Amino acid sequence: MEGGWSARQSALLCLTVSLLLQGRGDAFTINCSGFDQHGVDPAAFQAVFDRKAFRPFTNYSIPTRVNISFTLSAILGVDAQLQLLTSFLWMDLVWDNPFINWNPKECVGINKLTVLAENLWLPDIFIVESMDVDQTPSGLTAYISSEGRIKYDKPMRATSVCNLDIFYFPFDQQNCTFTFSSFLYTVDSMLLGMDKEVWEITDTSRNVIQTQGEWELLGINKATPKMSVGNNLYDQIMFYVAIRRRPSLYIINLLVPSSFLVAIDALSFYLPAESENRAPFKITLLLGYNVFLLMMNDLLPASGTPLISVYFALCLSLMVVSLLETVFITYLLHVATTQPPPMPRWLHSLLLHCTSPGRCCPTAPQEGNKGLGLTPTHLPGPKELGELAGKKLGPRETEADGGSGWTKTQLVELWVQFSHAMDTLLFRLYLLFMASSILTVIVLWNT
């Protein structure tokens, strides 16, 4: 029994050695007896399949060179809060297996075969920035040429870390990286190269990528830094992927409605300051703008402070200031028509200075009132002030004007003119804000 068991062990050992050494000549030529019109006999590649657990090499000191390329076929999503980019890639790997070689002329003219990838040695290439488990489907095949070159295409859904900057949302551009490396083989065992040029990868990705999505591909660049982990040095290829958001959706749904509401609020200055409908009209616009912000909040990034949020805050602040100014003007006109308080000399001088023709402040009273649809009033000039100062008023007039030398009617006209000047100043502030906003949008869109 012991002799029979030893004979079996010896036969099994010889069979194993013969499989491992099959074709171990100078060229590692595969026997073409398994190639016929009915297909390929798997036994012809059995020796190669048995070695799939080991890196294929004929000289241990020569590292295996793996050429990498990929195609960015879709950008599935960008999460600004978690700083993640979700994309779909086709990763292409090409390397040489020295144990595979056959003569096509002797093998019924076959130059290329497809073999299940699970039967071959596969390089452990992964994306360093990936934050998800590799969900590569099973049953993928690889192309094998007669010279032993293997081409393996692997589709993958990659969720990778990306440093996102959303300040210029929705006109933002993001630069994300895909770093391909091996987590097992150092530079002594594996080197990485390029199967295609970067411009070829960029052009192919632009042709394949979803053109109707939110993001568009701007360009791809690469770098080849080494990664040092302790005493080990790993080869890697880093691709810089630049993408840009298409802002049309956000311009139509966010910027245009907001601009319309602000423009209507600016047109409300054409309502007379004495009108009782002006304050309710502004309150209605302010409530409508708050409802608009609540409805459109889902379109804004969940984290950070983009420039568009600052724009919305300025619009809301300007509308609040406009409402407060309307309340103040209404109160001021009410007080001026009942018991006008005396106007300080500095305020009267400032009013004269700002309403004189050729000033950069609000226009002259007649022009400002004509543009705002208000009734023009007469503002006393320096000559009239001198006459008023030298004129003796009656007891009732002196009591009414507080001893300033002006009559009650003139005080009313002064306060009314002051309210018109405030309206003109705030109206010009609205125009300046809207013009600067439109200019900023045009610059960001074309940059």
Side-chain angles (χ1 to χ4, degrees), residues 107-251:
C107 301
V108 296
I110 297 177
N111 294 315
K112 184 182 295 185
L113 292 173
T114 57
V115 179
L116 281 176
E118 60 187 20
N119 293 326
L120 301 172
W121 175 85
L122 301 177
D124 57 330
I125 304 299
F126 74 107
I127 298 178
V128 176
E129 293 85 3
S130 179
M131 299 296 293
D132 198 0
V133 179
D134 189 3
Q135 300 178 355
T136 303
S138 59
L140 297 179
T141 59
Y143 284 100
I144 302 178
S145 68
S146 59
E147 296 85 8
R149 174 149 295 187
I150 301 177
K151 188 176 188 300
Y152 177 54
D153 298 338
K154 182 174 72 171
M156 57 187 305
R157 185 178 185 271
T159 301
S160 56
V161 177
C162 182
N163 187 16
L164 302 174
D165 184 8
I166 60 171
F167 179 74
Y168 293 105
F169 173 90
F171 305 97
D172 53 328
Q173 299 180 9
Q174 307 298 339
N175 292 299
C176 300
T177 57
F178 294 140
T179 305
F180 294 89
S181 182
S182 170
F183 58 85
L184 179 61
Y185 297 102
T186 62
V187 293
D188 297 330
S189 302
M190 182 184 295
L191 295 176
L192 301 182
M194 292 288 296
D195 184 46
K196 297 180 181 178
E197 296 295 332
V198 177
W199 64 268
E200 294 181 278
I201 298 177
T202 304
D203 292 343
T204 305
S205 299
R206 284 176 178 171
N207 294 332
V208 175
I209 200 170
Q210 301 271 344
T211 57
Q212 300 300 323
E214 182 182 358
W215 296 87
E216 62 177 327
L217 179 64
L218 294 180
I220 299 176
N221 293 315
K222 79 174 182 71
T224 56
K226 304 294 182 181
M227 180 175 61
S228 178
V229 180
N231 296 326
N232 298 322
L233 189 63
Y234 297 87
D235 199 8
Q236 62 181 8
I237 298 179
M238 182 178 296
F239 293 94
Y240 300 94
V241 180
I243 58 177
R244 178 174 59 192
R245 194 192 307 266
R246 290 187 173 94
S248 303
L249 171 67
Y250 301 95
I251 291 177

Side-chain angles (χ1 to χ4, degrees), residues 47-67:
V48 178
F49 297 160
D50 291 340
R51 300 180 182 183
K52 68 177 182 179
F54 304 95
R55 179 176 68 90
F57 60 86
T58 56
N59 188 343
Y60 182 76
S61 61
I62 300 177
T64 301
R65 182 176 180 85
V66 179
N67 293 328

Side-chain angles (χ1 to χ4, degrees), residues 276-291:
E276 297 179 355
N277 298 325
R278 185 169 171 181
F281 181 77
K282 286 184 173 291
I283 292 175
T284 304
L285 282 177
L286 185 59
L287 291 176
Y289 195 80
N290 280 277
V291 172

